[in-house]
Amino acid sequence: MRYPVNEIFETLQGEGRFTGMPAIFVRLQGCPVGCSWCDTKHTWEQNSEDERPLGDILVKTAATSCWAWATPEAMLATFAERGFNAKLVVITGGEPCMFDLVPLCEALHSAGYSTQIETSGTFEINVPQETVITLSPKVGMKGGYAILDSALERADDIKHPVARERDIEELDALLARCSSDKPVYLQPVSQGKRATKLCITTCIKRNWRLSVQLHKYLGIE
């Protein structure tokens, strides 16, 4: 099994339940969801003319649409060659659940890593049970994809992007479809002041949690 990789890097997880934890990010290429405020639009298209050798991807100094095929074994070799210390691997995108992630996650677990997937909930989630699923639901985006009931049920936590009150209402509608309570994180879109104030107020009122994209405040990847 091989995967289209846009970048691999080590940093601190800046969002959700693992905020502040060292993590290796594996960003996959490809996403049809079409979020207007997406900060990784360069990962949307998997164009053949943008394919590169994996070595070229590893030395990118700017966000580009270039990508490379990589097997789980190649990724693990990359971690070792680059001297990564983190034991949490965050598989993101793009939309990583477009792909069968079982072979990748199993290889990572066998090598002593834990895994977290960040997904929009618009594709079936194929991962081992021990993989942590963070569902960041994307409702009403131009791609026209619906949030799947199966994704809501599999999610270990929900990290919801919030720009306005309507986003809270949409989240309530999604939570009503869940058969059990899940930890909820509200994340202000683009660190906007009004969005941040709304998130803080709602978190206090609902006993939810705030996710502030710490990495952007720190100026790291």
Side-chain angles (χ1 to χ4, degrees):
M1 187 75 178
R2 60 179 188 166
Y3 301 88
V5 174
N6 180 276
E7 56 183 340
I8 298 174
F9 60 94
E10 186 178 48
T11 186
L12 298 179
Q13 170 61 290
E15 304 178 2
R17 70 160 61 189
F18 295 121
T19 293
M21 182 178 290
I24 300 167
F25 275 73
V26 176
R27 189 178 303 284
L28 301 184
Q29 189 78 12
C31 181
V33 178
C35 305
S36 60
W37 35 259
C38 177
D39 56 5
T40 56
K41 292 182 179 179
H42 58 283
T43 67
W44 285 7
E45 302 295 334
Q46 188 183 330
N47 295 318
S48 58
E49 61 266 27
D50 290 329
E51 183 181 350
R52 300 288 188 275
L54 181 58
D56 290 358
I57 298 302
L58 300 177
V59 297
K60 287 200 297 185
T61 58
T64 74
S65 58
C66 295
W67 58 276
W69 290 113
T71 63
E73 293 74 20
M75 294 185 208
L76 287 167
T78 295
F79 299 172
E81 291 165 4
R82 299 182 75 82
F84 291 162
N85 293 309
K87 289 301 181 182
L88 170 65
V89 178
V90 180
I91 304 171
T92 185
E95 173 45 69
C97 289
M98 291 173 60
F99 309 98
D100 179 2
L101 298 174
V102 171
L104 176 54
C105 290
E106 287 184 341
L108 292 170
H109 297 164
S110 295
Y113 295 93
S114 58
T115 53
Q116 178 190 20
I117 308 298
E118 297 183 346
T119 177
S120 64
T122 56
F123 287 81
E124 293 290 343
I125 299 172
N126 295 304
V127 298
Q129 188 59 41
E130 58 266 43
T131 295
V132 174
I133 298 297
T134 293
L135 176 61
S136 185
K138 305 302 190 295
V139 180
M141 299 300 155
K142 68 177 183 180
Y145 288 81
I147 309 300
L148 302 181
D149 287 337
S150 60
L152 285 167
E153 288 302 311
R154 177 59 181 85
D156 293 290
D157 54 63
I158 294 177
K159 177 168 60 71
H160 193 57
V162 173
R164 52 195 172 180
E165 188 68 41
R166 190 173 75 183
D167 297 324
I168 306 295
E169 295 169 358
E170 291 173 344
L171 174 58
D172 282 332
L174 290 173
L175 292 174
R177 293 163 52 188
C178 297
S179 61
S180 60
D181 292 338
K182 300 176 184 294
V184 173
Y185 297 81
L186 298 186
Q187 185 161 290
V189 171
S190 302
Q191 300 83 50
K193 288 185 178 180
R194 292 180 62 183
T196 300
K197 182 178 180 180
L198 174 59
C199 287
I200 291 172
T201 301
T202 306
C203 283
I204 293 172
K205 180 179 179 181
R206 307 285 287 272
N207 202 28
W208 289 345
R209 307 173 192 189
L210 182 68
S211 176
V212 295
Q213 294 188 293
L214 179 66
H215 55 295
K216 293 187 177 180
Y217 284 96
L218 297 177
I220 61 177
E221 286 189 277

